[in-house]
Amino acid sequence: MLRLILMRHAKSDWNHIGTADHDRPLNKRGRRAASALGDWLRAQGHVPDEVMCSSAERTGQTLMGLQITPAPQTRFIRALYLAEPRVMIETLHEAKGNCVLMIGHNHGICEFASLLVESPPVHERFADYPTGATLVCDFDVGSWQEVGWHQGRVIDFIVPRELTG
């Protein structure tokens, strides 16, 4: 059994005029959401042993805000920046851990989540996957290379507003 935690980056700051999209940081709300998501992951026992993170500033800051300990093996992957589902699954096929956290961006991450799960969670925000949205799903396979569409069994799905109000 392999577990995937699929997270969209937390809320980013649009007030940095002239900053390239790839370099936009989190805003205050995003930093608070990342911390709350980290607390939630720990409380639920969803602690990754490997992280595959987009190379964008906001995804890296989201990861730092989670405060995962012990620090998992982490790769910052340029191909995950604004990636489409095909790229995301190809990247996931390279994973080695038992519980992998992948942090990316919409719209690709929303489509990827929908394609991965057997059936979507009963949650009004799953279809649009807002910032910080986090899906936890299990795959009954022996390796990440065996993961395909519509195989994931949803364990949890949450959005930061449920944690921070």
Side-chain angles (χ1 to χ4, degrees):
M1 186 74 63
L2 298 175
R3 174 160 290 172
L4 174 65
I5 304 166
L6 186 63
M7 181 180 290
R8 183 177 172 198
H9 64 81
K11 192 78 172 160
S12 61
D13 193 342
W14 288 91
N15 292 326
H16 290 263
I17 306 299
T19 301
D21 181 71
H22 186 271
D23 300 330
R24 273 190 297 115
L26 295 182
N27 65 16
K28 184 178 179 181
R29 186 172 127 200
R31 290 189 301 276
R32 189 171 63 247
S35 178
L37 286 165
D39 292 344
W40 178 82
L41 288 171
R42 284 185 294 283
Q44 302 303 312
H46 305 316
V47 181
D49 55 11
E50 181 177 1
V51 176
M52 302 176 115
C53 186
S54 159
S55 60
E57 182 68 18
R58 59 193 178 272
T59 53
Q61 287 186 359
T62 298
L63 174 59
M64 292 298 292
L66 298 175
Q67 299 178 5
I68 300 168
T69 55
Q73 176 185 349
T74 300
R75 288 190 292 152
F76 292 93
I77 304 167
R78 179 69 184 201
L80 288 177
Y81 173 64
L82 304 179
E84 297 295 324
R86 177 190 55 76
V87 172
M88 296 182 86
I89 199 164
E90 288 170 359
T91 302
L92 184 60
H93 285 165
E94 299 171 8
K96 303 289 185 233
N98 292 312
C99 181
V100 174
L101 168 61
M102 183 179 279
I103 306 176
H105 310 263
N106 248 0
H107 70 277
I109 202 164
C110 179
E111 291 177 35
F112 186 52
S114 294
L115 288 168
L116 279 179
V117 299
E118 297 171 323
S119 58
V122 179
H123 195 288
E124 64 185 11
R125 298 305 307 269
F126 183 73
D128 65 329
Y129 228 86
T131 53
T134 302
L135 169 71
V136 179
C137 60
D138 285 349
F139 296 89
D140 191 15
V141 296
S143 73
W144 289 106
Q145 293 81 14
E146 298 174 54
V147 170
W149 303 133
H150 307 294
Q151 292 179 342
R153 182 173 51 87
V154 175
I155 302 301
D156 269 318
F157 180 78
I158 198 159
V159 297
R161 286 218 187 250
E162 294 171 55
L163 303 171
T164 61

